Structures are given as structure tokens and as C-alpha cells.
């Protein structure tokens, strides 16, 4: 059959359109090459001054440095601090509060402009500006009195109290951002202007990697910074890829399509150990599981205390929570190993158990606290996988002993977040909190009356006051005393049910020099290299 000229033209145009569409899809879907790290959620921002999700916090480690940096000792897996953007740091021996910091001469921003003292001062002012609502604001304010430039490469930082170097160095790890971006000065208010908002998604830093592409909803690509002041990273690029389903993540790892799995299920460890060419990097994170209680639906503290005392934590997930190693059972506000991990020379015992397992007492409190005979839903997200299911069902089974009938419900991550953080329409929620520093300095965000992560609705002026004092404490003995008072007060109010902290695994394949010692897996990223 012959085609008319018009039909022929239309056919050719249609064919070209189809080919272009196919090629467009192929081009759009091609994943960049590099060391691929799989995560369930991509960053929502890459500005370290402002509030970020966990992926954003992690990715910021690739882009930015502090005056000092946390590093991981590959042999022991322990964290330590070393000089970062600072060439040297000198303490004033008279007042013990003033530190003079000389910046490195060889540090360049990713746009190849030099690091200047004004960048450090700008960064400090941005962190402490109230309008920015930086999660690091209270922490920095509790230690630092002032920050000023002495000359182009010298900064003077004055602490509020005498501060020994070993305590000052961790404070100075806050990430330094440029005062100028795209050749223009940025406003210290980083929430308002178009330039400042663009910086959050197209940032420049001084770190070992530069952001080169952000494919919304799919991946972020970072390429090696050839001008990095230490040395050029050993891998040319790192891709942070979104893979929501934990089963898919494991299959992709097994097939060698991804190199790191950062969010892992404790119940997968035995199977992963049998995989060839897969390394398991384990550490005890600054993180914990708990159950958040919607206090508007469970208004009596006695009832919430009854729930806490009904939980025999060792028996929640057999094979996980009953192990002698790799698990820390928690009894209150903080992980119970807080003192042992930080100040063993002062206190090495676990934090006291203020609401110990006592089924008889729990049943009595359940009656006076209007818990007995009630129904509740306990939700957990898809991303917690099989472990979340086992943990939630273990909690429900034990709460049934005090007459609280709990229905366990697994939900998609987005629905879960909406119910908890936006609508606050949940009853009980299994939570995993991470991204803390070693002393959990930001934990007040969860429990303060106006805390940014207060999802329980708890509001108590005495608790707020304790947090004020605790966050400002610099003398170790006083900090210990206030920590114990905070722990007791939160147990009295019981807006959450403390559960446990678990050893965390990061699975890697095809990479050498992967050292993981903290919740941020990218601390050693500049040393990673592909195995031969």
C-alpha cells in the first residue's frame, strides 16, 4: 500500500518523536558511575546551617569542613577530632577561654575562591541567628561567646567559660559555609532570599567532594574535589541513590549494582555474612528506638508509666534484644550507656532504670491511668522492614498483659511521617531517632514544650528549665547531675517508651578503606577506593 506524501511526512515525524522520547527516557534514567550508596530518603537540603533530614546531614559531610573535623580511626572505629580548615589553634593561657585560629592558606571553595576569615564569622552568625532556626544554634550558643575576624586568615573565638582543648575541638566541628555565593554576598538569614535558597540545593563547600547533579527523587552525584587540601579522594565520584524497598537494596547489593547499604535491618546480618564479597562494618550509633505516645489520647502519666513498666525489653525480639553484645537496653531519656561512652573516668555505670519491668505494678497503674481495657494502634514504617514488624508485635504482645489491646499497623513511610509529624493523628508510633552527637545535645527538640520534633504533645515548664540548665552546663560534675535529673523527669512524665540502641551495620561491596564509626557513614569517604 502506498502512502500519500502527507501520510509519509506524518509517519516520519511520529517515528522521530517516538525515537526522541525513547532516547530521552534512556538518557534521563542512566545512572551516573561511581561508588553507589543506597538510601531510602534523599536529602531535603544541603545547607548545614539549616534543619536537614538525616540524608542531608550525611551528604553535607562530603561537601563541607569545620575548623576541626571528626575522623574515624580505622583500627578501633572510634571517633576523634583533628584540625580541619584551621592550620593551628592556640589557647590564651591567661583566661583559658580565648582561642586564636589561623586558617589554612591552601583551602579553596569549590568555585576556586579562597577561604577567608569572614566566611567563618559569617557561618557563626548564621548558626546563631534566631530566624534561621538552626538545630545547632542552642549548642553553639551554650559554648561560644563571640567570633570575630582578626585579619583575612585569623579568627578569634571566645568561649563563655574556660574550655580545655579536648572539649573545644568538638565544638569547632560546625560546618563552615561561604559568605559569598555566585559572586554575591549572602544574607545571614539563609531562609529568605533566592540566592540563599538556591545555595541549599546547589551548594559549594571546601570538602572532598563537589555536588555535580541532583536528579530529583532519584540520586545525587558528587565528584572528587581535585583541590581538596588533604589530597584528592581516591574514588572519582559518589552517587547517593534512592532505593526505598529494603529487599531491593539487598538484592542490588548482592548483584553488585550498589556498593553501600547505609540503612540495614539487624535481622539481615546472618544472611549478609554469607554473601561473597560483602563486608560488614559495625558500630554502636548515637541513636535509639522508642515508642512515642500521643499524650492527648493518653493524658494520664500513670497510664504511660504502666506501659513502660509492662515492657520486658530483653524479650521483645528474641535473637536481637536478648544478646549480650550489640544491644544497649534503655531506661529513660538517653541511651543507658551515655556516661560509659563519654566520661567513664567519672561514671561507668548505666543510667538508672527508673521504671523497671514490674508487671504487677504496671497492671495497677494501668487501671488508675485509664489504660486497662483500652484499644490502640501502633504504627511503624515500611523502612523498618522485618525488624520493625518483630519489634512492634513484641511490644503489642507485652502491653496486652496490662489490658491494653494494641493493633500493629505497617504504613508507607510518607503516610507514617504525615500522621506523626503533620497531622499528629497517631496513637502509638515506633520511632528510630538518629543523627545525634556523642552527648545527645539536641535531644531537647523531642521533649521541650516547643521542641521542633515534639510529636507527643508533652509540655512541662520544669522540664524546659532543666533542658536550659543542662544545655549550658560545662562543668562535668554539674552536667552529670542535670543529666540524671532530666532522666528522672522524663520518666515521671513518660511521653515515650524507651526501648534500646542497637549495633548498626553498614554493608559494603567492592570498596576498600570503608571505616564507619558514627551515624555519618561518609567521614572516611575521601579514603574509599575500588577494590581491584
Amino acid at each position: 500500500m502506498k502512502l500519500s506524501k502527507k501520510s509519509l511526512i506524518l509517519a516520519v515525524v511520529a517515528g522521530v518523536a517516538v525515537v526522541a522520547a525513547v532516547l530521552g527516557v534512556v538518557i534521563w534514567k542512566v545512572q551516573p558511575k561511581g561508588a553507589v550508596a543506597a538510601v531510602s530518603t534523599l536529602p531535603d537540603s544541603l545547607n548545614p546551617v539549616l534543619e536537614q533530614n538525616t540524608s542531608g546531614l550525611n551528604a553535607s559531610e562530603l561537601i563541607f569542613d569545620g575548623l576541626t573535623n571528626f575522623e574515624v580511626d580505622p583500627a578501633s572505629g572510634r571517633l576523634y577530632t583533628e584540625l580541619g580548615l584551621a592550620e593551628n589553634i592556640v589557647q590564651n593561657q591567661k583566661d583559658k577561654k580565648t582561642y586564636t585560629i589561623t586558617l589554612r592558606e591552601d583551602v579553596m571553595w569549590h568555585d576556586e575562591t579562597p577561604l577567608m576569615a569572614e566566611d567563618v564569622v559569617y557561618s557563626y552568625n548564621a548558626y546563631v541567628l534566631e530566624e534561621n532556626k538552626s538545630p545547632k544554634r542552642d549548642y553553639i550558643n551554650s559554648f561560644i561567646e563571640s567570633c570575630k575576624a582578626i585579619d583575612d586568615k585569623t579568627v578569634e573565638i571566645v568561649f563563655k567559660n574556660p574550655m580545655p582543648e579536648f572539649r573545644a575541638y568538638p565544638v569547632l566541628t560546625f560546618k563552615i559555609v561561604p559568605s559569598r555565593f555566585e559572586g554575591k554576598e549572602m544574607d545571614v538569614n539563609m531562609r529568605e532570599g533566592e540566592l540563599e535558597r538556591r545555595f541549599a540545593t546547589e551548594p559549594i563547600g571546601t570538602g572532598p567532594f563537589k555536588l555535580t547533579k541532583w536528579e530529583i527523587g532519584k540520586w545525587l552525584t558528587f565528584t572528587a574535589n581535585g583541590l581538596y587540601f588533604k589530597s584528592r579522594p581516591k574514588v572519582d565520584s559518589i552517587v547517593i541513590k534512592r532505593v526505598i524497598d529494603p529487599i531491593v537494596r539487598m538484592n542490588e547489593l548482592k548483584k553488585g549494582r550498589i556498593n553501600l547499604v547505609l540503612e540495614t535491618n539487624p535481622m539481615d546480618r546472618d544472611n549478609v555474612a554469607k554473601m561473597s564479597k560483602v563486608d560488614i562494618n559495625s558500630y554502636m550509633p548515637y541513636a535509639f528506638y522508642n515508642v512515642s505516645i500521643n499524650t492527648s489520647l493518653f493524658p494520664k502519666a500513670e497510664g504511660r508509666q504502666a506501659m513502660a513498666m509492662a515492657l520486658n525489653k530483653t524479650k521483645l525480639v528474641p535473637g536481637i534484644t536478648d544478646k549480650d553484645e550489640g544491644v544497649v537496653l534503655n531506661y529513660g531519656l538517653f541511651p543507658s550507656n551515655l556516661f560509659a561512652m563519654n566520661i567513664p573516668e567519672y561514671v561507668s555505670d548505666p543510667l538508672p532504670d527508673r521504671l523497671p519491668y514490674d508487671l504487677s505494678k504496671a497492671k495497677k497503674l494501668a487501671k488508675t491511668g485509664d489504660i486497662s481495657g483500652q484499644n490502640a494502634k501502633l504504627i511503624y514504617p515500611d523502612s523498618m522492614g522485618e525488624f520493625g514488624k518483630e519489634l512492634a508485635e513484641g511490644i503489642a504482645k507485652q502491653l496486652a498483659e496490662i489490658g491494653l489491646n494494641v493493633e500493629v499497623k505497617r504504613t508507607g513511610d510518607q503516610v507514617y511521617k504525615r500522621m506523626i509529624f503533620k497531622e499528629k493523628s497517631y496513637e502509638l508510633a515506633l520511632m528510630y531517632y538518629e543523627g545525634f552527637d556523642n552527648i545527645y545535645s539536641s535531644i531537647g527538640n523531642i521533649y521541650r514544650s516547643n521542641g521542633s520534633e515534639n510529636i507527643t504533645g508533652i509540655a512541662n515548664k520544669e522540664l524546659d528549665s532543666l533542658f536550659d540548665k543542662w544545655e549550658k552546663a560545662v562543668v562535668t560534675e554539674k552536667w552529670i547531675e542535670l543529666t540524671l535529673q532530666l532522666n528522672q523527669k522524663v520518666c515521671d512524665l513518660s511521653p515515650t517508651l524507651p526501648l534500646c540502641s542497637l549495633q548498626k551495620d553498614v554493608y559494603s561491596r567492592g570498596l576498600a578503606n570503608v571505616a564507619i564509626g558514627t551515624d555519618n557513614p561518609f567521614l572516611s569517604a575521601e579514603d574509599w577506593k575500588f577494590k581491584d
Side-chain angles (χ1 to χ4, degrees), residues 255 257 264:
K255 294 174 182 177
R257 293 174 181 165
T264 60

mmCIF file of all heavy atoms in Angstrom, residues 255 257 264:
data_model
loop_
_atom_site.group_PDB
_atom_site.id
_atom_site.type_symbol
_atom_site.label_atom_id
_atom_site.label_comp_id
_atom_site.label_asym_id
_atom_site.label_seq_id
_atom_site.Cartn_x
_atom_site.Cartn_y
_atom_site.Cartn_z
ATOM 1 N N LYS A 255 23.886 -8.287 43.782
ATOM 2 C CA LYS A 255 24.214 -8.310 42.357
ATOM 3 C C LYS A 255 25.377 -7.375 42.005
ATOM 4 O O LYS A 255 25.815 -7.337 40.862
ATOM 5 C CB LYS A 255 22.986 -7.927 41.535
ATOM 6 C CG LYS A 255 21.847 -8.937 41.631
ATOM 7 C CD LYS A 255 20.605 -8.435 40.915
ATOM 8 C CE LYS A 255 19.455 -9.434 41.050
ATOM 9 N NZ LYS A 255 18.205 -8.931 40.412
ATOM 10 N N ARG A 257 25.329 -4.063 42.091
ATOM 11 C CA ARG A 257 24.891 -2.824 41.437
ATOM 12 C C ARG A 257 25.012 -1.614 42.357
ATOM 13 O O ARG A 257 24.954 -0.479 41.894
ATOM 14 C CB ARG A 257 23.451 -2.976 40.951
ATOM 15 C CG ARG A 257 23.293 -3.989 39.818
ATOM 16 C CD ARG A 257 21.844 -4.215 39.481
ATOM 17 N NE ARG A 257 21.688 -5.192 38.412
ATOM 18 C CZ ARG A 257 20.547 -5.788 38.115
ATOM 19 N NH1 ARG A 257 19.443 -5.483 38.798
ATOM 20 N NH2 ARG A 257 20.496 -6.677 37.137
ATOM 21 N N THR A 264 20.217 -0.583 57.387
ATOM 22 C CA THR A 264 20.183 -2.040 57.401
ATOM 23 C C THR A 264 19.275 -2.567 58.500
ATOM 24 O O THR A 264 18.998 -1.887 59.481
ATOM 25 C CB THR A 264 21.595 -2.610 57.594
ATOM 26 O OG1 THR A 264 22.134 -2.142 58.837
ATOM 27 C CG2 THR A 264 22.501 -2.186 56.458
#
